[in-house]
Amino acid sequence: VSAPYDRSIVAWNVDDGTEIKKLESPNTIETVAFSPDGTIAYVGNDSEYISTVSVVDVATNTVLGLVEDTNETFNDPEFIIFTADGLYAFVLNNNDDSVSIVDVAANTVIGIIDDSEYGFSSPTCMAITPDGTTAYVTNYDDNNIVIVDESWSTTMTTKSS
């Protein structure tokens, strides 16, 4: 569970409700996502000066390091989702109106979805179809959904609500 205001992640025993471990962060924690196999968690961190994604070993509740983001694509990582096969993770950058693509095996950003024709406007949530061919990204500011095809780089259409 993310506790953004006290800058921590708390692991709880679901059987008895006791705290197992509390991981501290120097930054505000925006989101937590678990890999499909449950072995790692990605934690979106944000501060006034830098945004990062931490990699946490779920079995030991220890931070392994940060996702490598050479081009500094992370900007207020609002939401993270893994593909069903666990090969990729997508990080929605709320302040940058983009989605970073992460190679999970390498823990490295390998691309960014930032379509100028439709674009994102404070992307807040993403869902991927079970077959992995389409993603739906909600835009808070524009009150719409951007549909992205399986190439993960071509925005297909936008649906307003």
Side-chain angles (χ1 to χ4, degrees):
V1 173
S2 164
Y5 298 109
D6 74 355
R7 299 178 175 181
S8 67
I9 303 168
V10 180
W12 297 95
N13 181 321
V14 294
D15 292 328
D16 62 16
T18 58
E19 182 179 306
I20 298 170
K21 187 168 187 175
K22 186 174 188 176
L23 302 174
E24 303 292 333
S25 173
N27 300 320
T28 301
I29 296 169
E30 296 286 333
T31 186
V32 177
F34 293 93
S35 62
D37 65 5
T39 60
I40 63 167
Y42 275 8
V43 179
N45 310 291
D46 190 45
S47 76
E48 188 175 337
Y49 305 105
I50 188 168
S51 295
T52 60
V53 173
S54 300
V55 182
V56 176
D57 181 309
V58 174
T60 62
N61 293 313
T62 56
V63 177
L64 302 175
L66 298 175
V67 170
E68 185 177 334
D69 186 21
T70 307
N71 294 321
E72 299 180 358
T73 64
F74 299 143
N75 189 341
D76 189 16
E78 181 80 14
F79 185 82
I80 301 171
I81 188 171
F82 287 84
T83 55
D85 58 14
L87 296 177
Y88 301 99
F90 298 91
V91 179
L92 280 64
N93 301 299
N94 191 42
N95 287 345
D96 200 22
D97 298 336
S98 65
V99 178
S100 301
I101 305 168
V102 178
D103 177 327
V104 173
N107 287 319
T108 302
V109 174
I110 59 169
I112 190 163
I113 305 170
D114 185 12
D115 186 86
S116 60
E117 183 177 352
Y118 298 106
F120 299 111
S121 182
S122 295
T124 55
C125 194
M126 181 176 187
I128 302 171
T129 57
D131 64 4
T133 60
T134 308
Y136 297 82
V137 180
T138 60
N139 281 321
Y140 179 81
D141 286 346
D142 288 345
N143 195 30
N144 65 10
I145 298 172
V146 175
I147 303 171
V148 182
D149 75 5
E150 74 275 358
S151 70
W152 305 117
S153 64
T154 306
T155 305
M156 292 169 42
T157 187
T158 303
K159 301 287 185 189
S160 294
S161 59

